């Protein structure tokens, strides 16, 4: 079996490739985790679709890559439904918080709009086709790099 760092590099490369080829960063992160270490169901990947672009392309929520990473952590460390009454399972919150803080340090924000500002100097209305295209044209590989970073980080710690 491959060591964890090797697996994480492989997963990160997949997430980067998927983001360039298909978009929808939370799905790219989750698919890369699924293909390298398992844990993630097809239903989870499907359910994450609307979380792209800060949630429904609103820009105001967390970056979809970060959300995908938090979902992957939860698939391993999260609280099962039948354990609701057994406590908060703080360990999962701790890892998600650690990921969020390292993400903020690396990319300068947590929300899609904060990252748009960091990457391009302005924010966009993703529901206006011309603004969506302008963002796509001006962001370069930055969104794909968020998926790469998150996937690497998560797989190293699962």
């Amino acid at each position: 079996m491959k060591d964890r760092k090797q697996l994480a590099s492989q997963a990160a490369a997949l997430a980067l490739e998927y983001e360039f080829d298909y978009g929808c960063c939370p799905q790219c992160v989750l698919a890369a985790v699924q293909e390298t270490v398992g844990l993630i169901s097809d239903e989870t990947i499907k359910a994450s679709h609307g979380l792209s672009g800060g949630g429904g392309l609103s820009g105001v929520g967390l970056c979809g890559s970060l959300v995908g990473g938090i979902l992957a952590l939860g698939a391993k460390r999260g609280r099962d439904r039948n354990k609701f009454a057994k406590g908060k399972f703080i360990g999962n919150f701790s890892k998600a918080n650690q990921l969020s803080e390292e993400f903020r340090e690396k990319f300068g924000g947590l929300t899609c709009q904060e990252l748009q500002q960091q990457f391009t100097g302005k924010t966009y209305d993703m529901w206006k086709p011309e603004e969506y295209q302008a963002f796509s044209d001006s962001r370069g590989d930055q969104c794909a790099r968020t998926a790469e970073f998150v996937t690497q980080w998560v797989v190293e710690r699962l």
Side-chain angles (χ1 to χ4, degrees):
M1 181 173 161
K2 295 180 181 181
D3 75 4
R4 188 57 59 177
K5 288 224 182 263
Q6 240 183 338
L7 219 50
S9 292
Q10 179 185 350
L14 275 174
L16 183 69
E17 177 185 332
Y18 290 160
E19 178 59 27
F20 282 134
D21 291 348
Y22 310 120
C24 194
C25 46
Q27 288 188 313
C28 297
V29 169
L30 291 167
V33 172
Q34 180 190 56
E35 290 181 32
T36 54
V37 296
L39 294 177
I40 307 301
S41 70
D42 288 345
E43 291 82 11
T44 301
I45 295 170
K46 181 179 180 179
S48 75
H49 185 252
L51 300 171
S52 198
L57 299 179
S58 69
V60 297
L62 290 177
C63 166
S65 292
L66 181 56
V67 172
I70 292 169
L71 285 168
L73 289 170
K76 174 75 172 188
R77 302 172 173 276
R79 178 175 64 177
D80 292 313
R81 172 66 176 99
N82 65 352
K83 294 182 181 166
F84 275 15
K86 294 188 187 270
K88 302 284 186 199
F89 287 64
I90 298 298
N92 186 49
F93 295 145
S94 176
K95 281 294 181 201
N97 185 60
Q98 185 182 357
L99 170 59
S100 296
E101 289 305 314
E102 290 187 34
F103 185 94
R104 183 194 324 261
E105 282 180 33
K106 182 164 183 67
F107 296 106
L110 295 176
T111 71
C112 182
Q113 285 181 338
E114 289 171 336
L115 297 179
Q116 290 173 27
Q117 186 70 41
Q118 288 293 320
F119 298 162
T120 70
K122 64 181 266 186
T123 61
Y124 300 82
D125 180 343
M126 304 294 260
W127 282 101
K128 292 181 178 174
E130 66 279 2
E131 287 195 39
Y132 186 93
Q133 188 61 53
F135 175 62
S136 187
D137 292 343
S138 62
R139 70 183 170 178
D141 69 352
Q142 292 299 309
C143 288
R145 295 296 173 188
T146 67
E148 177 186 47
F149 170 80
V150 167
T151 305
Q152 177 94 29
W153 194 99
V154 166
V155 171
E156 285 178 358
R157 289 159 181 82
L158 284 177

